[in-house]
Amino acid sequence: MVDLTTRIGALTLQNPIMPASGTFSRDMAEVFELDMLGALVTKTITAEVRGGNPTPRVCEVDGGMLNSIGIPSKGLGAFLANELPAYAPYRAPLIVSVSAPSIDGFAEIVSQLNLPGIAGIEANISCPNIEEDGKAFAMRPDTTARVVEALRRETDLPLWVKLTPNTGETVEVAQAAEAARADALVVANTILSMAVDARTRRPKLGNLMGGLSGPAFKPIALRMAYQSVRSVDIPVIGCGGISTVEDVAEFLVVGACAVQVGTASFINPTAMPRLRDDLQGFLAEEGYASVSDFIGSIRDGAPGDAVRFMEAAP
Amino acid sequence: MLSPAQLEPSKERSIHEVVGTVVTHRDAASGYRLLELDVPQEALDCRPGQFFHILCPVDGQSQPFLRRPMSIFGYDRDAGRLSFLYKVSGIGTAALSGLDEGDRLNVVGPLGNGFTIPQNARHLVLVARGVGLATLAPLAQEARRLGLGLKAICSARSPEHLMSIDHFRALGAEVIPVTDSEGTSDPEQLRSLLDGLAEADEMDMIYTCGSNRLLKLCQQVGRDAGIPGEIALEQQMACAIGMCQCCVRPFRRGGAVVQERVCREGPVFDIQEAMEW
Ligand SMILES: Cc1cc2nc3c(=O)[nH]c(=O)nc-3n(C[C@H](O)[C@H](O)[C@H](O)COP(=O)(O)OP(=O)(O)OC[C@H]3O[C@@H](n4cnc5c(N)ncnc54)[C@H](O)[C@@H]3O)c2cc1C
Ligand SMILES: Cc1cc2nc3c(=O)[nH]c(=O)nc-3n(C[C@H](O)[C@H](O)[C@H](O)COP(=O)(O)O)c2cc1C
Ligand code: FES
């Protein structure tokens, strides 16, 4: 048996497969045994009750989908009263994804999550839907630094920071999060996109624009994961378009130490357990005894600082 | 490529991703297709009103990305059979319509909450038009199993467009066809038909689905006669399991408007809580 355990800072996961925020809930227990996952990641929660965006909230595009769910949330109180206890029976570590419209709000919600049963915080500072005028914290290094510093003051739990592809400064944002003492980066959230119906001439999403996810998005996320690995020393968790074991392997090769699976679970609800099993087989076939030997094994022949200059490549 | 879809069967898990095989696939009426699959038994613990999420095949013409939700038209656990009645309307259903006998099809289900049949009910009435018949058909199967009377008011453009009448009759239902061409399907006519059933004490529960017009009508009849009812609703879906929250619809409840997920809290809802769209 190949050893699939992977370390993300202080956390050790039994395997590198976990769900992406917003594409998973406890309802998945009706499909497979949740404890087979490396970790459980909640939908982003907010302190206040939120309604979410108008419908239609999703549409399909070639090789992927757009979503403008928004962050409908029953609020922190409901999460603590109903969701957190319901996760207690599971052994897989629980990562709580949080968001807020302001730095103070962010710090406030994180300060209330230093609780037993929560293994880590994922700061969704990259959601393109909820920030006023569409500017997310994670679009710029300075706002990233300020919000992550504020969160770091509030918690000693592992703090994962989720990056956005909606920036021209991936390397700088990643480094700002590391400098502000994030424990890991999740790379990445969806990329802002649009779809219009040519016949009705209406936008296909109620919110006009939304985030692209699924296979069509994978090369962008992979590029960002690679850039991040090359520019920081903290662990990077890959996310974006992962649907096959080859996709998982590509993110591991560029140096991600775990992966999140989102849209693929909509297409194949059993994707995550199958990816875990397939990864065993893949690594055995490639002659690896452990996943950690495989992580970062890319043969790119590139010097460490190449990623910066390559941004202008095409 | 992912490894094959099936996981080990389990009692605790109720939603299954399985690969079925097409047994028959034929036209049911113009533009409608009837698809019958052979599927593993574990996926057939179904209730009327539930649905499956279908992975439409990718053909040379199109690549439907998301799954498509389809009501269960019929199921037979012992025979390992599952069937769908669908209308070819866009790229997903068009791709589906090209499936041949022996082809494989990946389906996820059963999903959602089905219809409820009140304990003391003796006479069930359903009002359906178009593909709505597909959703309501399993009620006839269940009514027969429970020894209850069921009247199916089937509405269509013209007598030639009436679907599934034989299917309902074979299941022991009394079919009342109404059509636009014969002038028997307009709201006033339906209203007096339903009021008549209520007065004759031949309607303990009313079921419908699909259209605003039928919703409004059944709401009024139900409210005036004090008869409970349910409606099966549709909304675009991505996960169909309750995770993504894309499929919400508004409902009237306790003086407020609440958002519920059609895939998880539905697709069957209390008819008085449903809102027109
Ligand atoms: C619970 C449920 C049960 C259903 N049962 C049946 C049935 O038994 N028979 C039948 O013919 N149809 C049924 N439908 C509607 C069916 O899902 C749509 O007709 C189908 O998704 C259309 O796909 P398409 O690719 O052909 O059309 P397109 O217009 O190309 O689809 C584009 C997108 O919109 C979605 N979409 C389009 N129309 C609908 C709709 N009415 N409801 C939900 N999503 C839609 C598609 O899933 C797809 O994501 C049901 C819908 C729901 C929600
Ligand atoms: C329907 C939907 C809802 C999402 N909701 C959230 C969310 O609440 N918080 C978040 O950080 N990311 C959210 N995401 C982004 C995913 O976590 C993930 O970053 C993205 O979808 C890319 O991965 P994928 O291609 O594997 O889906 C959502 C994505 C989808 C498709
Ligand atoms: S379709 Fe995802 S919650 Fe209903």
Side-chain angles (χ1 to χ4, degrees):
Chain A
M1 284 287 264
V2 178
D3 179 6
L4 289 185
T5 56
T6 189
R7 287 194 49 191
I8 304 173
L11 274 180
T12 300
L13 312 187
Q14 59 174 337
N15 68 67
I17 310 288
M18 69 180 103
S21 176
T23 65
F24 171 80
S25 66
R26 285 183 292 110
D27 299 301
M28 201 61 143
E30 288 176 43
V31 183
F32 62 82
E33 184 57 59
L34 298 189
D35 272 335
M36 63 67 44
L37 292 168
L40 309 177
V41 184
T42 69
K43 168 80 184 169
T44 298
I45 60 163
T46 58
E48 71 287 359
V49 177
R50 293 172 48 95
N53 286 331
T55 55
R57 289 177 170 186
V58 295
C59 73
E60 66 182 7
V61 295
D62 286 348
M65 62 177 283
L66 310 189
N67 88 82
S68 62
I69 307 290
I71 313 264
S73 171
K74 295 204 167 98
L76 178 63
F79 176 79
L80 297 179
N82 307 325
E83 286 298 305
L84 188 54
Y87 276 107
Y90 300 109
R91 274 170 292 132
L94 179 68
I95 309 299
V96 178
S97 170
V98 297
S99 192
S102 68
I103 290 179
D104 289 348
F106 240 121
E108 173 62 23
I109 186 167
V110 166
S111 73
Q112 296 185 54
L113 291 171
N114 295 308
L115 297 169
I118 299 181
I121 303 292
E122 182 175 293
N124 176 8
I125 61 167
S126 52
C127 185
N129 284 331
I130 63 164
E131 286 292 301
E132 280 164 49
D133 72 7
K135 301 274 188 283
F137 296 100
M139 286 174 72
R140 300 196 191 93
D142 60 331
T143 43
T144 299
R146 272 185 277 135
V147 70
V148 177
E149 276 162 17
L151 301 187
R152 183 76 287 171
R153 279 195 291 274
E154 299 299 337
T155 188
D156 294 325
L157 284 172
L159 177 60
W160 300 358
V161 172
K162 188 164 177 182
L163 303 193
T164 179
N166 303 319
T167 177
E169 301 177 284
T170 299
V171 168
E172 292 77 6
V173 169
Q175 289 173 335
E178 180 184 42
R181 295 201 293 130
D183 294 301
L185 303 178
V186 179
V187 186
N189 212 314
T190 53
I191 187 163
L192 192 62
S193 307
M194 189 169 182
V196 178
D197 186 309
R199 296 193 194 283
T200 64
R201 289 173 281 142
R202 290 181 205 282
K204 289 190 179 176
L205 294 175
N207 193 50
L208 309 183
M209 293 180 264
L212 172 66
S213 64
F217 170 59
K218 193 192 71 175
I220 298 169
L222 187 69
R223 179 267 297 173
M224 290 182 64
Y226 176 65
Q227 286 179 302
S228 303
V229 168
R230 282 311 189 92
S231 48
V232 299
D233 290 324
I234 53 176
V236 170
I237 298 157
C239 175
I242 294 172
S243 11
T244 67
V245 69
E246 288 79 13
D247 298 333
V248 174
E250 288 172 30
F251 276 88
L252 299 177
V253 164
V254 304
C257 57
V259 295
Q260 295 187 342
V261 178
T263 303
S265 293
F266 300 168
I267 310 306
N268 295 107
T270 58
M272 287 190 284
R274 288 153 71 191
L275 288 173
R276 195 263 325 252
D277 295 349
D278 290 357
L279 185 59
Q280 281 274 0
F282 178 92
L283 292 172
E285 226 174 272
E286 296 296 311
Y288 283 86
S290 75
V291 71
S292 53
D293 295 338
F294 185 69
I295 291 169
S297 60
I298 187 166
R299 298 166 166 165
D300 57 354
D305 58 357
V307 285
R308 273 168 197 267
F309 305 109
M310 304 267 283
E311 266 186 16
Chain B
M1 278 282 288
L2 271 176
S3 55
Q6 242 136 291
L7 300 180
E8 289 294 307
S10 148
K11 280 211 165 47
E12 291 96 76
R13 298 192 305 258
S14 54
I15 301 174
H16 304 273
E17 179 181 349
V18 296
V19 179
T21 307
V22 178
V23 184
T24 56
H25 196 184
R26 58 180 174 80
D27 288 335
S30 90
Y32 290 87
R33 302 274 286 164
L34 181 61
L35 172 67
E36 192 184 13
L37 302 176
D38 184 61
V39 299
Q41 279 200 338
E42 77 236 34
L44 289 174
D45 211 347
C46 305
R47 272 166 297 126
Q50 286 189 302
F51 67 101
F52 273 75
H53 215 195
I54 297 183
L55 193 58
C56 298
V58 170
D59 57 26
Q61 312 290 316
S62 61
Q63 308 185 357
F65 180 75
L66 296 171
R67 283 177 184 260
R68 301 300 196 255
M70 285 292 162
S71 301
I72 298 165
F73 177 64
Y75 59 96
D76 183 338
R77 197 183 148 87
D78 297 332
R81 293 296 160 85
L82 175 65
S83 58
F84 303 100
L85 176 68
Y86 66 93
K87 185 177 182 196
V88 179
S89 56
I91 63 161
T93 45
L96 199 60
S97 71
L99 283 178
D100 285 326
E101 278 172 32
D103 284 349
R104 317 252 285 159
L105 184 66
N106 182 313
V107 300
V108 171
L111 297 161
N113 294 313
F115 294 106
T116 49
I117 298 178
Q119 282 268 299
N120 53 358
R122 288 164 302 135
H123 302 287
L124 312 181
V125 173
L126 57 86
V127 190
R129 191 175 165 104
V131 284
L133 287 166
T135 310
L136 297 168
L139 268 172
Q141 188 178 334
E142 187 68 3
R144 182 162 75 169
R145 196 180 66 82
L146 298 170
L148 306 176
L150 183 129
K151 288 190 177 60
I153 302 173
C154 299
S155 167
R157 238 187 306 155
S158 68
E160 304 85 70
H161 288 88
L162 281 164
M163 260 188 312
S164 304
I165 288 193
D166 298 338
H167 180 72
F168 276 113
R169 288 199 177 119
L171 291 168
E174 181 187 329
V175 177
I176 307 175
V178 295
T179 63
D180 304 352
S181 66
E182 297 166 312
T184 46
S185 64
D186 58 83
E188 295 75 44
Q189 301 254 5
L190 279 178
R191 168 96 214 207
S192 62
L193 178 60
L194 289 168
D195 285 343
L197 291 174
E199 272 157 38
D201 200 14
E202 289 182 358
M203 182 162 72
D204 299 319
M205 182 81 177
I206 186 164
Y207 306 92
T208 189
C209 65
S211 87
N212 258 325
R213 214 176 54 133
L214 290 180
L215 167 63
K216 216 161 120 185
L217 177 73
C218 295
Q219 268 178 341
Q220 282 165 357
V221 172
R223 202 180 305 123
D224 294 351
I227 291 167
E230 286 179 334
I231 182 167
L233 292 171
E234 297 183 357
Q235 180 60 291
Q236 191 167 11
M237 296 184 178
C239 74
I241 293 174
M243 307 188 292
C244 75
Q245 315 225 33
C246 80
C247 65
V248 295
R249 271 186 175 280
F251 295 89
R252 259 182 246 108
R253 184 170 308 154
V257 171
V258 297
Q259 299 282 335
E260 304 239 277
R261 296 165 296 183
V262 171
C263 75
R264 179 53 60 170
E265 283 83 36
V268 174
F269 293 93
D270 183 311
I271 203 159
Q272 300 300 343
E273 292 185 350
M275 291 171 73
E276 285 170 49
W277 59 92

